Amino acid sequence: MNHQGSVNYHELLKQYQLEVDFIEDYGKVKKVYTKSGVYALKEVEEVEIRSHDFIRKLQDLQHKGWMGFVPIYQSRQGSPVITHQNKGYYLMPWLPNTPSDERDIRYHKLFQELAKLHGTSSKEVEVQKEDIETHYNGLKTTWEDRQKELEEYVMECEKKVYMSPFELHFCTVYYEMTRAMEFGFSRLDEWNTEMEEKEKIRLVTIHGKLSAKHFLYDERGNGFFINLEQAREASPIHDLVSFYLRTLRTYPLTSLDSYEWFATYEKHFALREEERLLLHSYLAFPEPLYQCIMQYRHQRYKTELEHMQSLIRAYWLTKNIEQVNIKIFEVDQQKKIAAEAAANAQSTD
């Protein structure tokens, strides 16, 4: 496929001095076969380039020594991004992405490289007390409003003589949701207390859309990130939370692999206490279940069976995330107990 709509990719790729033999369409990514090799041409919205300026961030990271992203080629004019019809395009080598590693090993490599990204870009910035209070109050108010909505809906369901299958299942899991919300609120309150004496916070460059699909391998088995258009400065927990939300949408997990990925991350870049508290709170709040339930209550457009399937998937996701969250919490508590015991033993010597 050489054309799509009015875009002439052959002409566009001449800006990279490439003689194109064939182009395969993978949506926003085109696999470009040329006499000099195989390339990936990525289309992005021009506003993404302007608002996030991810190319500059990648160049800064490269200067600091982090090379964990697929390199981006420059055009004949020396630009890493070319524009055409309000779209941006950039060119990369096409990676085979056929590692021999097991799935779990691949995830460990991803988290190790993520830790390197966060560690390389980490910096301290001053924080105003007003900004902390604004974040705390805004998040707590949002969660309290959602908690109230769920309370109202469970009371509404329980008044019915005959509940629908969806309503019955919601009432069944509601108690678990309240326990999760309590844990989330308690960690959020602890975070706010922890931040009272803080004058600085730690920011890193986050991937912004982290998933296993955005971590590819070359012929030698080295892993590299792609799709960094949403890279920006934020707390490191943003990548962790978003990754688990995307990755754990599966059947109930019986292993602790997802915790071990986090443990790998922390071997190379450990979270601070305030970051851990905020991570716990975000992971604890049952947002996927809330969204699924409110969709059924206010915007019902699927069949009862489809809504039930969505509810079950959201429940599995919530429980999978809960398993990771609890394990992180338990390990931290064990470490604190061991540290206190060691300190007491030393004081008695």
Side-chain angles (χ1 to χ4, degrees):
M1 183 179 294
N2 298 334
H3 302 273
Q4 183 177 2
S6 58
V7 180
N8 188 326
Y9 290 107
H10 280 231
E11 289 298 319
L12 191 149
L13 286 160
K14 285 182 179 179
Q15 296 189 49
Y16 294 98
Q17 296 181 302
L18 292 177
E19 294 184 26
V20 178
D21 294 327
F22 185 72
I23 298 176
E24 290 181 358
D25 192 347
Y26 291 87
K28 289 191 174 183
V29 177
K30 314 301 177 195
K31 187 174 184 180
V32 182
Y33 295 86
T34 74
K35 293 178 175 57
S36 58
V38 183
Y39 301 87
L41 182 69
K42 175 69 185 295
E43 173 193 309
V44 293
E45 298 295 332
E46 194 173 5
V47 66
E48 287 185 304
I49 301 170
R50 291 198 304 269
S51 61
H52 298 297
D53 195 12
F54 76 103
I55 296 292
R56 180 184 58 79
K57 285 184 171 58
L58 293 181
Q59 291 171 339
D60 290 343
L61 289 166
Q62 190 173 13
H63 290 153
K64 293 177 181 178
W66 184 70
M67 306 292 291
F69 61 95
V70 179
I72 297 174
Y73 296 121
Q74 291 190 342
S75 67
R76 287 185 302 179
Q77 289 74 31
S79 174
V81 179
I82 57 178
T83 57
H84 178 71
Q85 298 179 351
N86 297 321
K87 300 285 186 180
Y89 298 88
Y90 62 88
L91 190 72
M92 306 172 290
W94 182 274
L95 299 189
N97 197 33
T98 54
S100 58
D101 298 328
E102 296 286 341
R103 171 181 177 272
D104 188 52
I105 299 300
R106 296 187 65 183
Y107 279 38
H108 280 282
K109 288 185 176 181
L110 184 154
F111 270 77
Q112 181 176 334
E113 197 60 50
L114 179 68
K116 291 180 181 178
L117 166 61
H118 289 174
T120 301
S121 59
S122 175
K123 67 178 182 180
E124 302 279 339
V125 297
E126 293 185 357
V127 62
Q128 301 296 322
K129 294 290 188 280
E130 295 79 8
D131 293 334
I132 298 297
E133 286 302 311
T134 297
H135 183 75
Y136 170 74
N137 291 328
L139 188 56
K140 190 165 187 177
T141 299
T142 297
W143 286 355
E144 286 175 341
D145 289 344
R146 294 183 176 183
Q147 184 181 42
K148 185 178 180 181
E149 284 185 272
L150 292 168
E151 290 174 356
E152 292 173 350
Y153 188 45
V154 77
M155 293 175 63
E156 177 185 318
C157 293
E158 289 177 342
K159 289 178 181 178
K160 295 183 177 182
V161 177
Y162 296 106
M163 287 186 278
S164 71
F166 184 98
E167 293 165 340
L168 179 61
H169 196 73
F170 160 58
C171 292
T172 302
V173 304
Y174 174 72
Y175 176 71
E176 293 181 63
M177 295 180 68
T178 60
R179 294 291 300 274
M181 287 185 284
E182 288 172 4
F183 184 77
F185 279 124
S186 65
R187 297 291 86 77
L188 183 63
D189 290 340
E190 288 182 37
W191 172 80
N192 190 46
T193 302
E194 183 77 17
M195 292 301 296
E196 286 179 356
E197 304 302 323
K198 301 289 184 182
E199 297 181 352
K200 293 185 177 182
I201 59 173
R202 182 168 66 172
L203 296 181
V204 303
T205 296
I206 64 170
H207 182 283
K209 200 175 180 181
L210 188 66
S211 77
K213 296 187 300 183
H214 299 153
F215 191 69
L216 306 182
Y217 288 78
D218 65 11
E219 298 86 348
R220 296 182 295 275
N222 300 313
F224 300 91
F225 285 117
I226 61 169
N227 282 43
L228 286 144
E229 292 91 331
Q230 295 184 30
R232 62 190 184 278
E233 290 183 347
S235 168
I237 72 166
H238 283 274
D239 271 339
L240 299 173
V241 173
S242 64
F243 180 85
Y244 281 125
L245 281 170
R246 288 188 178 94
T247 306
L248 300 185
R249 295 178 181 273
T250 180
Y251 292 102
L253 299 175
T254 57
S255 70
L256 291 174
D257 289 345
S258 50
Y259 167 75
E260 296 300 333
W261 308 335
F262 175 78
T264 294
Y265 172 87
E266 284 223 299
K267 288 178 182 177
H268 303 275
F269 186 78
L271 294 182
R272 296 175 175 175
E273 180 61 21
E274 66 271 19
E275 294 166 345
R276 303 177 89 78
L277 291 169
L278 203 56
L279 175 69
H280 281 309
S281 63
Y282 273 104
L283 290 178
F285 195 85
E287 184 69 18
L289 272 171
Y290 167 80
Q291 294 294 340
C292 180
I293 291 161
M294 290 302 109
Q295 184 183 85
Y296 181 85
R297 187 185 186 192
H298 299 301
Q299 300 173 338
R300 203 176 307 179
Y301 62 90
K302 296 184 286 190
T303 66
E304 182 74 17
L305 176 60
E306 289 172 331
H307 278 289
M308 270 295 297
Q309 291 170 335
S310 297
L311 181 62
I312 292 171
R313 285 193 293 267
Y315 177 73
W316 288 344
L317 170 60
T318 302
K319 299 305 287 184
N320 287 337
I321 291 176
E322 180 183 79
Q323 180 178 242
V324 179
N325 206 13
I326 290 175
K327 184 61 179 178
I328 295 172
F329 180 76
E330 289 177 345
V331 172
D332 287 346
Q333 293 301 108
Q334 292 167 3
K335 289 180 179 178
K336 288 179 181 178
I337 293 172
E340 290 174 1
N344 292 334
Q346 187 175 10
S347 64
T348 57
D349 290 342

